[in-house]
């Protein structure tokens, strides 16, 4: 007698689970299906690794014969006690257990398309910034500017960047990242495109165009953070930020490598025109191809939408996906935000991050040109290589951070580890950079410093979303403002320091010390838990 019961003996009960039936004692089980409990067979043994096809819209009816015939024949055995227990869970909860997207699903999903567009926006954002760090050399020679005055010209961007992040963060919290990001890219692309005209008109017009660039770019990172919160569950946010920030670093590499080439072909202002027009094209694609929230996207699959919504950890996360289109909220509670040490850990961390970032961004081409006598074209190359490694390490470090949290390591410890690597690592590398005797060794130290620096994005940057989800935009704006103040001091201070002391190396050693102190402050006072900013300040 056959040891396998005929399919007709079973009654389907849902897309996987089948009702157990009474079996005659004369039926025997094949050896390969025996288990420590011979009367049970787990259907999970035969379950597909990627169940997305199994829960498509075509398998909806619990009594559909078509759905039954799509089930592999071996699945028509009796279900285990685990499956019986699983079937007692409501269907909306079952999705949380069954939906585990693999890498192929993740990389082709709608949420990754959104973060890829964010990465392109941040690439343009940084490319528009760094063009001036390359163009400043011929502009200084043509106009007879000193190094200290060159630092003032480059810092004009930061003066604009100083005033917009907090206001931009408030707008992002109320109107969502999609609209604010579109306005930001449009305005900073216009400022970039008009830079040649401004430079030919007057020095004040040039400073005004760079200030407008800074004002517009101040909304970029808060908008990115807002879109990541809306589109990604917490277990995927680090890698999402990694993809977006990889675009940010690639923008630096593109700007530093292409600018000298475009200048040789189209004059000093060639790259300003090219990058400005590219920004206008991005805005058109962004507005037509993306949505502010997953539930508003016409392209998103039902499977992905249910996965995103079911992975929300708090009720606020669900509410945050609905932009407030009524009226702007009252003034954010700045006093309560500033009364907590975790807030100050973020402000100090972002301040140090921006200090190092803008010092490298503005002065590395001049550093390699003056210290190692490297030609401008090669100086841009030496300065661009580290950004490429930083872009690669952004995704690697983000994936590692997500894996640590998924494996049960606390969010606080994960952020502290990432931040410590991201600050202490560059501090050590700057010491190596100062002692380097050749441009190749110096470039190697600088490249390693940037690769390790990327880890800090998964310390303080992602931490903004975690300690204050309802105020993430304004808190990010406050952190950017603190960072901008530090960047202004660092960028302008480098020029004055070199003019007074005559040494780039001394300033790099000072920066190394500040990295170590900032890492220590963050570890002591940061947290990965949500902070109650609504309690009154004593």
């Amino acid at each position: 007698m056959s040891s396998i019961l005929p399919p007709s003996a079973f009654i389907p009960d849902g897309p996987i689970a089948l009702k157990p039936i009474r079996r005659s004692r004369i039926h025997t089980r094949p050896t390969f299906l025996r288990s420590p409990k011979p009367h049970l067979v787990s259907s999970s043994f035969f379950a597909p690794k990627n169940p997305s096809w199994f829960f498509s819209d075509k398998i909806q009816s619990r009594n559909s014969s078509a759905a039954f015939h799509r089930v592999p024949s071996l699945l028509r055995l009796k279900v285990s006690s685990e499956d019986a227990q699983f079937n007692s869970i409501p269907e909306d909860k079952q999705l949380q257990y069954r939906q585990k997207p693999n890498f192929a699903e993740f990389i082709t999903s709608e949420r990754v398309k959104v973060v890829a567009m964010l990465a392109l926006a941040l690439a343009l954002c940084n490319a528009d910034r760094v063009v001036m760090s390359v163009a400043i050399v011929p502009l200084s020679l043509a106009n007879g500017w000193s190094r200290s005055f060159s630092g003032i010209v480059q810092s004009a961007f930061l003066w604009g960047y100083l005033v917009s992040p907090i206001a931009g963060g408030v707008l992002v919290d109320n109107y969502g990242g999609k609209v604010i990001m579109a306005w930001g890219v449009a305005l900073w692309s216009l400022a970039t495109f008009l830079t040649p005209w401004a430079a030919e008109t007057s020095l004040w017009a040039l400073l005004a165009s760079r200030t407008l660039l800074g004002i517009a770019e101040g909304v970029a990172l808060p908008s990115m953070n807002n879109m990541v919160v809306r589109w990604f569950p917490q277990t995927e946010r680090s890698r999402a930020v990694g993809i977006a920030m990889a675009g940010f670093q690639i923008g630096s590499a593109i700007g530093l490598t292409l600018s000298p080439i475009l200048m040789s072909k189209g004059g000093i202002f060639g790259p300003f025109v090219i990058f400005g027009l590219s920004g206008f094209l991005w805005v058109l694609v962004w507005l037509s191809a993306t949505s502010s929230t997953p539930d508003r996207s016409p392209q998103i699959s039902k499977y992905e939408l249910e996965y995103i919504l079911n992975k929300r950890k708090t009720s606020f996360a669900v509410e945050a996906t609905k932009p407030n289109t009524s009226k702007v909220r009252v003034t954010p509670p700045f006093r309560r935000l500033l009364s907590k040490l975790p807030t100050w850990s973020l402000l100090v961390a972002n301040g140090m991050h921006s200090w190092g970032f803008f010092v490298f961004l503005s002065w590395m081409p001049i550093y390699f040109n003056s210290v190692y006598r490297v030609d401008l074209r090669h100086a841009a190359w030496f300065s661009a290589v580290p950004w490429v490694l930083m872009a690669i390490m952004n995704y690697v470090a983000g994936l590692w951070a997500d894996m640590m949290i998924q494996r049960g390591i606390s969010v606080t410890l994960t952020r502290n580890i990432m931040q410590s690597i991201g600050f202490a690592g560059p501090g050590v590398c700057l010491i190596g950079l100062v002692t380097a005797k050749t441009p190749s060794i110096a470039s190697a130290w600088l490249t390693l410093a940037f690769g390790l620096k990327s880890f800090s994005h998964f310390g303080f940057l992602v931490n903004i979303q975690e300690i204050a989800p309802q105020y993430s935009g304004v808190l990010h704006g406050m952190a950017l403002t603190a960072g901008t103040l530090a960047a202004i001091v660092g960028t302008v201070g480098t020029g004055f320091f070199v003019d007074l002391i005559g040494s780039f190396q001394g300033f790099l050693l000072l920066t190394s010390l500040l990295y170590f102190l900032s890492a220590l402050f963050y570890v002591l006072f940061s947290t990965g838990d949500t902070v109650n900013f609504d309690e009154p300040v004593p």
Side-chain angles (χ1 to χ4, degrees), residues 245-519:
M245 295 306 294
F248 198 67
Q249 317 311 332
I250 289 294
S252 298
I254 291 174
L256 291 169
T257 53
L258 289 185
S259 292
I261 298 174
L262 295 175
M263 287 178 185
S264 65
K265 301 296 183 181
I268 296 177
F269 301 113
F272 292 95
V273 175
I274 297 298
F275 293 146
L277 293 176
S278 299
F280 295 138
L281 178 62
W282 181 91
V283 172
L284 294 177
V285 177
W286 173 255
L287 292 176
S288 61
T290 62
S291 301
S292 58
T293 57
D295 58 308
R296 295 182 175 219
S297 173
Q299 294 90 10
I300 194 170
S301 65
K302 180 181 178 182
Y303 169 78
E304 183 182 0
L305 179 60
E306 290 177 340
Y307 169 75
I308 294 173
L309 295 181
N310 286 328
K311 292 290 286 184
R312 302 288 188 183
K313 293 190 65 176
T314 64
S315 61
F316 171 78
V318 177
E319 295 170 1
T321 63
K322 300 178 181 180
N324 181 8
T325 57
S326 56
K327 63 179 182 179
V328 179
R329 297 175 188 147
V330 296
T331 303
F334 291 109
R335 186 182 175 192
R336 292 200 296 269
L337 290 171
L338 292 173
S339 68
K340 306 293 184 179
L341 283 174
T343 299
W344 285 99
S345 71
L346 295 177
L347 299 182
V348 170
N350 198 60
M352 188 61 234
H353 177 78
S354 296
W355 174 292
F357 178 86
F358 282 98
V359 167
F360 291 151
L361 189 68
S362 302
W363 290 100
M364 281 303 100
I366 299 177
Y367 177 79
F368 277 96
N369 181 264
S370 61
V371 174
Y372 298 106
R373 301 295 186 267
V374 177
D375 179 72
L376 175 61
R377 187 183 299 256
H378 294 94
W381 169 253
F382 277 119
S383 300
V385 170
W387 299 97
V388 176
L389 178 64
M390 193 176 187
I392 297 172
M393 292 303 297
N394 260 300
Y395 184 77
V396 174
L399 184 60
W400 183 26
D402 281 342
M403 291 174 62
M404 291 173 67
I405 295 175
Q406 291 169 0
R407 290 175 180 175
I409 298 176
S410 70
V411 176
T412 300
L413 180 58
T414 299
R415 301 306 173 213
N416 286 343
I417 292 174
M418 294 291 112
Q419 191 66 39
S420 297
I421 297 174
F423 273 10
V428 173
C429 292
L430 284 179
I431 298 174
L433 175 63
V434 169
T435 60
K437 301 300 182 183
T438 66
S440 297
I441 296 177
S443 180
W445 278 113
L446 186 63
T447 301
L448 180 60
F450 273 57
L452 296 175
K453 182 179 173 65
S454 63
F455 282 77
S456 66
H457 294 149
F458 314 103
F460 81 91
L461 187 58
V462 182
N463 194 214
I464 294 173
Q465 307 166 0
E466 294 163 342
I467 73 168
Q470 71 274 38
Y471 300 118
S472 62
V474 66
L475 186 58
H476 201 159
M478 293 168 61
L480 288 176
T481 298
T484 304
L485 289 172
I488 291 173
V489 174
T491 303
V492 178
T494 303
F496 283 100
F497 189 95
V498 174
D499 281 345
L500 293 175
I501 308 300
S503 171
F504 269 111
Q505 289 85 346
F507 195 83
L508 294 179
L509 290 175
L510 173 62
T511 301
S512 175
L513 176 62
L514 293 176
Y515 266 126
F516 291 126
L517 295 176
S518 299

Side-chain angles (χ1 to χ4, degrees), residues 114 141 240 538:
V114 171
L141 294 175

